[in-house]
Every structure is written in C-alpha cells, then in structure tokens.
Amino acid sequence: MSKNNVKKIMIGFVGILIIAYSVVMQIKAGFGLDSLNALYGNLSIVTGRTFGFFSICLGFIFILINHFTSKKRFNWTALLVAFFIGTGVDQFNQIFAHSMNFESWSARISLFLYALILYGIGIALLIYSGMPSPLEELQFAMQKLTNQSVARAKFYTDLALFSGALLTSVLTGLGLGQINVGTIIITIFIGKIIEVSLQLISKIEKKNTRVQPQS
C-alpha cells in the first residue's frame, strides 16, 4: 500500500472520529439531528438498542439495496465506515453521559453550532479520503431507481430518511424525537460547510505538497 493511500485512510478515520463526536454533541445540544442520524436516534430511543446498532444494521441494508439495484459488488468498506461511526457514537455517548448537559439556551445553541461545524469538517475529511459511506450507497441506489440527477436523488434520499425518522417517532408516541429545528438548519447549511472545508483541506494539502523536499 502506497504512502498516499495510508495517509488517505488516516484522514478518513480522523473524519469518522470527528463525525461520531459531533453527532453526540448535537444530541447533547438537543436541537435535533440530520435526517439519517435522526432515524438512527429515534429507532434507538424506541427500541432501547444503541445508536451504533442501527448505524450498522441500516448501513448494511443501504449497501445491500445499492448492491442489487446497481449490480455492483457489496461495498464492505462502506459497512466498515458505518461500524466505526456507530461504535464511535456509542463510545462518546458513554464518555459524555454525565457531562455537557447544559440547560441555558445560549450554551446549547453554542454547542449545536460548534457540533454543526465539526460535523461538516468530519464529512469533508471522509469525502476527501475517498472512503465511502452507507448514505452514499443509498443515494447511488436512489439515483438508479429514480433515473434522476445526483442532486434530485439526494433530495429523495433525504426525504425518505426524514419520513422514516418521523414515522418511527410519531407512530410510537415519541413525538418528533431527534427531529427538531436543528434538522432543518443542518439540512440547509451542512452542504456549504462541507464545501468550504473541502476547499481548505485541498489548500492545506497543496501547500504541504509544495514545501516537501524533492528526493
């Protein structure tokens, strides 16, 4: 394995760690999660199973759907990403179980914005590393099924996940669960945060490449 590939894998795992941590901080803030994590979170609350359990199980289903619709090989790397993110969320949930429990609105808003920015950075690092995620697998499957553009397929994917999270909570008497105003905010701003983060990562990478001595 080349040094560049090892570097990309390390960047991907840093991204996974940041994503897992930021999801827990979003939960602590109490303003809701994005559609995918809201689905995991609501299922976790309803069933008593951990967040990571559903990250792995549903991740497997998403990858399996793309496997059959696109007739591609089962993406075990994407399942591994789901495993590490889910396990990371479970571990950080335990670490911060008795801390970061803020009551004031200002503290919770600050924590949410901090977590939102970190979430975008983590996703950008994962994208930059080239490591796939189950969400991408589901989006690819949706694009194949609907025969639409990537953007439209992403919209349908987000809508399906949001509906799943909403139905899970409403039909079980949970209310909205992890769906809240933060869900809307994340949906609106996460794309831009990822875009800016990717630009910064590329600039840093180019700068480091230029300063490396020629062998």
Side-chain angles (χ1 to χ4, degrees):
M1 185 180 292
S2 68
K3 185 182 293 186
N4 186 58
N5 287 337
V6 172
K7 181 180 179 181
K8 286 291 184 70
I9 291 173
M10 291 176 64
I11 289 173
F13 275 105
V14 170
I16 289 171
L17 192 66
I18 293 174
I19 289 170
Y21 171 75
S22 64
V23 168
V24 173
M25 292 301 102
Q26 290 172 48
I27 294 172
K28 287 289 183 178
F31 290 112
L33 304 173
D34 63 281
S35 298
L36 175 64
N37 290 314
L39 177 59
Y40 295 159
N42 284 353
L43 287 170
S44 176
I45 295 170
V46 169
T47 64
R49 292 281 189 171
T50 66
F51 187 101
F53 173 83
F54 289 106
S55 175
I56 297 166
C57 290
L58 291 184
F60 177 83
I61 293 172
F62 296 159
I63 298 166
L64 198 62
I65 291 172
N66 190 41
H67 168 67
F68 285 114
T69 56
S70 301
K71 294 181 173 57
K72 294 181 179 178
R73 292 175 57 188
F74 188 89
N75 198 331
W76 292 102
T77 304
L79 185 60
L80 195 63
V81 169
F83 171 80
F84 282 116
I85 292 177
T87 302
V89 171
D90 289 346
Q91 292 300 314
F92 281 121
N93 261 326
Q94 292 182 8
I95 292 170
F96 296 102
H98 304 293
S99 60
M100 307 289 284
N101 298 313
F102 301 117
E103 293 186 2
S104 71
W105 278 83
S106 59
R108 290 173 58 204
I109 290 172
S110 298
L111 181 61
F112 175 77
L113 294 176
Y114 161 73
L116 174 59
I117 294 171
L118 276 183
Y119 189 50
I121 293 172
I123 294 174
L125 288 169
L126 189 61
I127 292 172
Y128 184 79
S129 72
M131 295 173 68
S133 72
L135 180 59
E136 290 177 335
E137 292 288 302
L138 183 60
Q139 289 173 356
F140 292 147
M142 192 66 73
Q143 184 181 11
K144 188 74 174 180
L145 289 170
T146 61
N147 197 28
Q148 298 289 333
S149 65
V150 174
R152 186 62 64 86
K154 184 181 184 306
F155 171 77
Y156 288 141
T157 302
D158 289 342
L159 182 61
L161 293 171
F162 179 83
S163 299
L166 186 61
L167 285 173
T168 299
S169 56
V170 172
L171 293 178
T172 56
L174 183 64
L176 294 177
Q178 292 292 354
I179 296 176
N180 207 321
V181 64
T183 306
I184 300 172
I185 294 173
I186 295 170
T187 302
I188 293 172
F189 292 104
I190 193 64
K192 190 63 179 178
I193 296 172
I194 294 171
E195 180 185 348
V196 172
S197 298
L198 282 170
Q199 290 173 353
L200 289 174
I201 293 168
S202 297
K203 287 181 180 179
I204 293 171
E205 179 67 18
K206 288 179 181 179
K207 184 177 180 180
N208 288 339
T209 302
R210 284 199 300 267
V211 298
Q212 285 179 355
Q214 298 293 327
S215 56

